[in-house]
């Protein structure tokens, strides 16, 4: 309970402050936050207050330095600073008071900040948490995770406790430049984009008062120019030989059958690996007596946060791959039912067999599994991303379709056809009538190379040995398949 600190209380504190004595505190009833702390090493004045819900103890000096009246005056000034948000009581402030009152000759610490109100604004860590929370609410899970990975990099740790208004564009440019100089040039460009997006969000009316940032301060932040690399010259027409071998190995039994089906679907559809790894069984629809089908790629499996599904036609060969995966998943579920009658039916076409970390739920294959599976295949040089490049290049140069046709299959927004007013509100057709000829022509071309690859395929034991060698010696890890 607070007690009015008097001369008698101070005298007793002096007497009690001796080696071996017990520690105790006396809270002053006349100056809220003023505390006299007594212990074996002496008796000192303290100012206790809270900022943003965090309790702080500021040492004012010992009882020989300040009288009771002076200590109360200091606490009163500190309370006024906090109330008016005109500054933060700290050790530098106490030192300036000591100099002003003649108790020490000169200050040895840095001067007060030019804008003391900045200390009451969000720190970088607080602003980042708010920004990432908003990205989780408004963006697709994949995009939100990408933002988190960029803005939570180790290079930002020195800024965590800094108030946002004190962080300059030059400092952020320095972080981006450091990443660029380390050789991660693409990462540097993406980091600059995310930092700029975060500051643009902090400038909005809803949070600018809490953030305190200057509008436009990070606008246009960019990474240094990328290093010029020799251009790739392709004189001969691209071939599908590699893709035929990929499917032949995927079907051979040399790799896990579910992973094999997923790798096949990459080749048949030319969709991004994250979309291929994560579809749910209900995303597929049978057509023509279960001979062909449609795949509805929803926003959560793409980089878009909302919008209509991207519909991919599946000709017979592609649909057979999907049906084979469904049969494998169904059979595995029935086997589990023998041991656990309450086992839930899998939702994903390519489910995980084990969680990535202990305690995490089982979901779907990790996209990197597809990259590694193709990288471990002997005689295969292409990654999942290369399949998309081959689809566009071979399709336009050899199979003869247009650039717009490539975009209808490869683009998230189908070449922009679904992003204008007509596509959003009036013409709601999925466009498959134009996509079917493209996908059937692609499937027919790939099937020819699959047949040739199967004829020349090595024995399964030889394939397994080669895959194991590439896997454990790391030669297949050369492809990271950035998308």
């Amino acid at each position: 309970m607070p007690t009015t600190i008097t001369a008698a209380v101070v005298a007793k504190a002096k007497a009690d402050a001796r080696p071996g004595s017990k520690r105790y505190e006396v809270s002053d009833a006349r100056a809220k936050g003023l505390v006299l702390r007594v212990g074996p090493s002496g008796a000192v004045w303290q100012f206790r207050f809270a900022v943003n819900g965090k309790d702080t103890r500021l040492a004012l000096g010992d009882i020989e330095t300040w009288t009771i009246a002076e200590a109360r005056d200091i606490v009163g000034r500190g309370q006024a600073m906090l109330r008016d948000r005109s500054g933060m009581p700290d050790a530098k402030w106490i030192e300036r008071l000591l100099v002003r009152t003649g108790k020490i000759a000169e200050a040895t610490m840095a001067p007060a900040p030019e804008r003391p109100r900045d200390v009451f604004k969000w720190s970088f860590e607080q602003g980042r948490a708010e920004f990432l929370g908003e990205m989780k609410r408004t963006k697709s899970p994949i995009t939100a995770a990408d933002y988190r990975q960029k803005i939570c990099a180790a290079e930002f740790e020195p800024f965590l406790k800094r108030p946002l208004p004190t962080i300059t564009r030059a400092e952020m440019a320095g972080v981006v430049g450091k990443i660029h100089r380390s050789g991660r040039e693409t990462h540097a460009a993406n980091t600059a984009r995310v930092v700029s997006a975060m500051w643009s969000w902090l400038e909005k009316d809803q949070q600018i008062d809490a953030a305190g940032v200057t509008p436009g301060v990070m606008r246009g932040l960019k990474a240094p120019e990328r290093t010029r690399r020799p251009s790739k010259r392709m004189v001969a027409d691209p071939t599908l030989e590699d893709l035929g071998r990929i499917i032949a190995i995927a079907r051979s039994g040399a790799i896990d059958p579910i992973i094999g089906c997923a790798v096949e679907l990459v080749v048949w559809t030319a969709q991004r690996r994250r979309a291929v790894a994560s579809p749910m069984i209900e995303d597929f629809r049978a057509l023509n007596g279960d001979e062909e089908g449609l795949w509805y790629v929803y926003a959560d499996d793409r980089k878009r946060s909302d919008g209509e599904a991207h519909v991919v036609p599946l000709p017979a060969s592609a649909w057979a791959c999907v049906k084979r995966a469904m049969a494998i998943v169904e059979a595995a579920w029935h086997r589990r039912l023998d041991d656990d009658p309450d086992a839930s039916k899998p939702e994903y076409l390519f489910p995980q067999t084990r969680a990535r970390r202990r305690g995490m739920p089982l979901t779907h294959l990790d996209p990197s599994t597809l990259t590694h599976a193709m990288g471990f295949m002997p005689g295969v040089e292409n990654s999942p991303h290369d399949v998309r490049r081959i689809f566009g290049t071979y399709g336009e140069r050899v199979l003869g379709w247009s650039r717009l046709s490539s975009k209808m299959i490869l683009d998230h927004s189908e070449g922009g056809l679904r992003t204008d007013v007509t596509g959003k509100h009036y013409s709601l057709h999925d466009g498959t009538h134009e996509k079917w000829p493209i996908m059937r022509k692609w499937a027919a071309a790939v099937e020819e190379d699959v047949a040739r690859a199967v004829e020349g395929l090595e024995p399964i034991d030889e394939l397994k040995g080669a895959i194991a060698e590439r896997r454990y010696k790391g030669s297949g890890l050369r492809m990271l398949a950035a998308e």
Side-chain angles (χ1 to χ4, degrees), residues 276-444:
V276 173
S278 59
M280 304 184 82
I281 294 174
E282 66 181 17
D283 297 343
F284 296 87
R285 172 186 167 192
L287 295 177
N288 303 328
D290 205 24
E291 292 299 318
E292 296 179 317
L294 294 175
W295 175 18
Y296 291 80
V297 187
Y298 290 97
D300 285 352
D301 300 326
R302 292 143 56 204
K303 288 186 176 180
R304 293 174 62 83
S305 60
D306 54 17
E308 297 295 325
H310 172 48
V311 186
V312 182
L314 302 176
S317 50
W319 184 245
C321 167
V322 171
K323 289 198 296 183
R324 191 162 65 251
M326 289 180 179
I328 294 171
V329 172
E330 183 88 8
W333 175 54
H334 283 294
R335 287 194 297 271
R336 287 198 303 275
L337 287 176
D338 294 337
D339 299 326
D340 181 9
D342 296 325
S344 59
K345 188 173 183 179
E347 296 179 309
Y348 294 98
L349 183 66
F350 305 120
Q352 285 178 310
T353 55
R354 61 183 180 184
R356 294 187 67 189
R357 297 183 184 87
R358 181 175 296 179
M360 294 181 66
L362 287 173
T363 55
H364 52 75
L365 285 183
D366 189 275
S368 64
T369 301
L370 302 176
T371 305
H372 295 315
M374 291 174 64
F376 298 145
M377 290 180 175
V380 170
E381 299 299 327
N382 288 304
S383 70
H385 197 62
D386 293 327
V387 174
R388 292 168 59 79
R389 186 177 297 112
I390 293 171
F391 178 91
T393 307
Y394 188 92
E396 294 176 27
R397 293 182 64 181
V398 180
L399 300 180
W401 62 59
S402 67
R403 178 62 51 86
L404 179 60
S405 297
S406 293
K407 288 184 174 184
M408 289 177 64
I409 304 300
L410 298 177
D411 280 13
H412 307 292
S413 56
E414 303 187 2
L417 297 175
R418 305 289 288 277
T419 58
D420 59 10
V421 173
T422 301
K424 285 183 177 180
H425 302 291
Y426 300 112
S427 179
L428 304 181
H429 189 265
D430 57 23
T432 52
H433 61 297
E434 294 185 343
K435 300 176 188 176
W436 272 111
I438 302 169
M439 297 307 292
R440 287 191 176 118
K441 189 177 288 189
W442 171 253

Side-chain angles (χ1 to χ4, degrees), residues 52 85 115-131 159-168 195 197-218:
N52 296 328
R85 296 199 167 196
R115 299 179 60 187
R117 289 179 182 271
D118 288 347
V119 298
F120 295 96
K121 303 300 182 181
W122 281 344
S123 65
F124 179 86
E125 188 174 28
Q126 291 171 313
R128 183 178 68 182
E130 295 290 337
F131 170 70
F159 300 96
L160 292 183
K161 303 303 179 184
R162 288 265 303 275
L164 284 167
T166 69
I167 299 174
T168 66
V195 170
M198 175 175 160
W199 251 259
S200 294
W201 180 80
L202 293 169
E203 296 170 10
K204 292 185 177 180
D205 293 344
Q206 294 83 354
Q207 52 273 344
I208 191 168
D209 184 59
V213 298
T214 302
V217 67
M218 297 293 174

Side-chain angles (χ1 to χ4, degrees), residues 106-118:
E106 60 182 41
T108 59
M109 301 180 71
E114 294 182 2
R115 299 179 60 187
R117 289 179 182 271
D118 288 347

Side-chain angles (χ1 to χ4, degrees), residues 56-87:
T56 301
R57 284 176 177 258
L58 175 63
L60 307 182
D62 59 40
I63 54 177
E64 300 294 344
T65 301
W66 305 107
T67 65
I68 301 173
E70 289 174 329
R72 286 176 178 150
D73 180 63
I74 293 171
V75 168
R77 293 186 186 189
Q79 294 286 16
M81 291 169 62
L82 295 169
R83 183 173 58 252
D84 299 337
R85 296 199 167 196
S86 59

